[in-house]
Amino acid sequence: MSATVVIDDRSGLDISLIDRSVLFQIRRSQTLLGRRFQSRFSDFGITPGEYGVLLLIASNPGRKQTEIADALGMQRANFVPLINSLEARHLMERRPSAQDKRSNALYLTAAGDAFVKEICAAEETFEAECTARLGGAKAREAFMLLLARLSV
């Protein structure tokens, strides 16, 4: 059975092989959504990674930095500079963990808490636009379930 040839309207390239690739479609979507995120959140001076860290700290104050990094799937080498940056901006702070004094627990500062509220309000609009592009709330839920299946 022969595959359908798919030609990219902008470049004229045959993209048939990658057009069928789940990996490529996810990567392309990630890149495009990342660009949209950057344009929307540029006034806040925040990256998607920093956004995720702040949300997890807001939802889980006092958790060890290794737990936050693991939840985001980030390696220590990438995570430490990220939290150093957030700490330098006075958005979060490290304190010795109550359970393990060798570890750091992460907390939002008062400024960080206010900042998270601001970026969450901006993210609501961004999320609503993504939901509309997917075809509504039911389609979004189905999409999220499918993505979750790929993550296990």
Side-chain angles (χ1 to χ4, degrees):
M1 181 174 179
S2 64
T4 304
V5 174
V6 179
I7 303 296
D8 181 10
D9 292 336
R10 291 172 291 173
S11 67
L13 291 172
D14 177 355
I15 59 169
S16 304
L17 293 176
I18 62 171
D19 193 56
R20 294 189 307 257
S21 167
V22 171
L23 178 63
F24 175 75
Q25 292 299 333
I26 289 172
R27 180 67 181 120
R28 184 169 77 178
S29 295
Q30 178 189 15
T31 299
L32 294 172
L33 286 170
R35 286 185 197 147
R36 288 185 192 136
F37 180 95
Q38 290 299 347
S39 69
R40 291 297 179 82
F41 290 81
S42 63
D43 290 345
F44 295 105
I46 189 166
T47 66
E50 291 169 334
Y51 180 80
V53 169
L54 288 172
L55 290 185
L56 279 178
I57 296 170
S59 302
N60 303 279
R63 297 302 290 261
K64 292 189 293 186
Q65 64 186 50
T66 54
E67 294 172 312
I68 300 293
D70 288 346
L72 291 168
M74 295 183 77
Q75 295 180 350
R76 179 175 166 74
N78 298 328
F79 187 72
V80 172
L82 192 147
I83 61 171
N84 287 344
S85 172
L86 293 172
E87 192 168 43
R89 292 171 60 189
H90 307 287
L91 298 174
M92 49 102 8
E93 62 186 6
R94 290 177 259 211
R95 300 180 200 158
S97 171
Q99 291 81 23
D100 180 359
K101 299 295 182 198
R102 299 169 296 163
S103 299
N104 288 315
L106 304 180
Y107 296 88
L108 292 180
T109 61
D113 188 55
F115 186 72
V116 166
K117 288 182 174 108
E118 283 183 65
I119 59 176
C120 282
E123 202 268 343
E124 283 183 36
T125 302
F126 184 75
E127 189 72 23
E129 291 171 4
C130 289
T131 299
R133 282 177 168 267
L134 289 170
K138 284 184 180 182
R140 181 193 180 281
E141 280 304 310
F143 179 69
M144 296 298 281
L145 288 170
L146 292 171
L147 283 175
R149 286 184 189 174
L150 291 174
S151 301
V152 290

